[in-house]
Amino acid sequence: MTYETPQDAEDAYYDALESGDVEAMSRIWDAEDGIACLLPMTPMAIGAQVPLLWRTLFEQGGRFDLQVRHLGWIENGDLAIHLVEERVAAAPGVQVPPPIYATNVFRRDVDGWRLVLHQNSPTPLPPPAMPGDGRTAVA
């Protein structure tokens, strides 16, 4: 499969996440020795470990229904960096968890755009309140 734009590759990535399709997920990533994936609460997967990470997550029933909002794009030549907010779609009556912020890095080669790095992290906790005035430490 050839992805004509970084957005095509990113759309395919989130489609694979939603469907839990390990084969589709494997087609999105670049050559195994030059890729990395860092998810919350998991060790960093590098190279050939990346498809194994996704296979394990999907075999354990991992399906991710996410709403994705772009916060910023940096594209220069054969490299694209997408900064996104991922929100889990919650069932009615269930409290929606805070968003997760992710960085997706894509590289273009002769076969089109491929994912080389996905890193995400949960929303940080708010800073502690300062005693006395009710304001936060960063206000």
Side-chain angles (χ1 to χ4, degrees), residues 6-89:
Q7 188 59 55
D8 291 341
E10 188 166 76
D11 290 345
Y13 171 79
Y14 286 107
D15 288 347
L17 273 178
E18 188 170 307
S19 65
D21 185 339
V22 71
E23 298 307 320
M25 180 63 76
S26 294
R27 288 189 296 268
I28 298 157
W29 289 88
D30 199 6
E32 289 183 0
D33 59 346
I35 60 177
C37 185
L38 181 57
L39 304 175
M41 309 306 291
T42 66
M44 182 164 35
I46 299 173
Q49 298 168 338
V50 173
L52 296 175
L53 168 68
W54 288 109
R55 181 173 304 281
T56 301
L57 287 173
F58 292 155
E59 286 175 353
Q60 293 174 356
R63 302 290 183 274
F64 305 90
D65 187 6
L66 300 174
Q67 298 171 343
V68 178
R69 181 171 70 103
H70 285 93
L71 303 175
W73 297 31
I74 303 165
E75 295 187 13
N76 188 356
D78 294 335
L79 190 65
I81 303 167
H82 291 188
L83 308 169
V84 300
E85 178 184 83
E86 303 171 343
R87 287 192 173 268
V88 174

Side-chain angles (χ1 to χ4, degrees), residues 92-134:
V94 175
Q95 183 176 349
V96 177
I100 293 174
Y101 294 98
T103 303
N104 297 319
V105 179
F106 303 90
R107 180 174 48 216
R108 181 174 44 201
D109 63 18
V110 295
D111 294 324
W113 290 90
R114 294 284 187 257
L115 186 60
V116 294
L117 171 73
H118 173 79
Q119 181 275 327
N120 65 15
S121 61
T123 304
L125 296 173
M130 295 297 287
D133 64 4

